[in-house]
Amino acid sequence: MKHLEIELKTLLKKEEYDHLKEQFSHIQPVLQKNYYIDTPDFQLREKKVAMRIRTFSNWAELTLKVPQTVGNMEYNQKLTLPEAEHYLEKQILPQGMVMEKLAEIGIESHDWFVLGCLATIRYEMETSIGLMALDESHYFDHTDYELELEVTDCEQGKVDFQQFLSENGITYQKAPSKLIRFIKSMKKC
């Protein structure tokens, strides 16, 4: 399955996260673990492409994110948990849409490297302005908080997102992708 993901996001201070969490109090959080994958010489990073296996309580998916003029084209391949665990342990990838897309963009490596795991507790709900996700992420010895809004219209989304932040007393803080934050922390270890 592929879809265009247009996402707006901001990092949050712990107090802002706690304040917003009240609005998500009726939502059951989901634990997702993101295992980021690249080649040992970072061919994906070089092409600004991101790949991960994300596991949930009873299923998983392999995702490749390819930047577009606006947003990222996301290629998702559903996996069972045992399949995901096997691929992570062996540091190999299954055949299918993701491998085909990698070949199209000139990456035909069979040498994969799991960079590590970022665990996120996510509260997600559909709102009048788009799909909103409130995240608490843990990686290495670091915890951060983030609010994401997935929209279909980038310009209207920016206006709505800014208004939502303003109404909730949140100061916008540029949020690099989870992968970039993860890699920066990895380099500090």
Side-chain angles (χ1 to χ4, degrees):
M1 181 180 92
K2 80 174 196 178
H3 83 279
L4 181 64
E5 176 189 65
I6 301 171
E7 206 172 57
L8 304 163
K9 50 184 159 186
T10 182
L11 288 173
L12 299 169
K13 294 182 188 98
K14 173 79 165 96
E15 310 76 62
E16 294 170 330
Y17 171 82
D18 290 339
H19 166 73
L20 285 177
K21 206 165 142 185
E22 292 169 20
Q23 295 181 38
F24 288 78
S25 60
H26 61 291
I27 303 291
Q28 182 65 42
V30 171
L31 173 65
Q32 50 190 41
K33 291 184 177 176
N34 299 302
Y35 296 89
Y36 295 110
I37 301 166
D38 206 329
T39 60
D41 57 352
F42 293 96
Q43 290 178 42
L44 297 182
R45 181 129 174 78
E46 221 170 79
K47 293 189 183 279
K48 303 210 180 325
V49 172
M51 185 164 55
R52 68 169 182 240
I53 288 179
R54 177 177 277 172
T55 63
F56 299 91
S57 59
N58 57 3
W59 66 285
E61 68 183 354
L62 170 64
T63 299
L64 181 70
K65 289 187 178 195
V66 180
Q68 306 295 301
T69 312
V70 174
N72 288 305
M73 188 57 72
E74 215 175 75
Y75 300 86
N76 294 306
Q77 205 171 313
K78 199 163 180 176
L79 304 171
T80 65
L81 269 181
E83 285 172 335
E85 287 161 5
H86 170 77
Y87 295 130
L88 289 166
E89 185 186 319
K90 301 283 186 209
Q91 299 198 73
I92 58 172
L93 293 176
Q95 290 305 307
M97 179 199 319
V98 169
M99 290 295 272
E100 289 162 16
K101 190 64 195 171
L102 283 168
E104 271 177 44
I105 59 177
I107 297 171
E108 301 207 33
S109 178
H110 297 286
D111 198 8
W112 299 105
F113 178 61
V114 178
L115 304 174
C117 178
L118 178 146
T120 298
I121 300 164
R122 170 167 281 186
Y123 295 84
E124 193 173 73
M125 73 176 166
E126 197 60 59
T127 69
S128 60
I129 61 173
L131 181 64
M132 203 171 276
L134 185 63
D135 291 347
E136 175 182 333
S137 296
H138 301 271
Y139 45 103
F140 303 111
D141 59 353
H142 195 73
T143 298
D144 67 30
Y145 308 93
E146 174 181 36
L147 179 68
E148 295 181 356
L149 179 66
E150 201 168 313
V151 297
T152 50
D153 179 329
C154 187
E155 292 312 308
Q156 185 59 50
K158 284 179 186 173
V159 171
D160 293 341
F161 192 55
Q162 195 49 59
Q163 185 176 341
F164 178 85
L165 295 179
S166 182
E167 286 168 2
N168 285 279
I170 295 169
T171 306
Y172 173 81
Q173 291 182 66
K174 185 170 172 29
S177 73
K178 285 181 176 71
L179 173 58
I180 289 171
R181 298 192 319 258
F182 176 87
I183 287 174
K184 279 186 179 161
S185 285
M186 191 169 104
K187 288 178 179 172
K188 290 176 189 169
C189 289

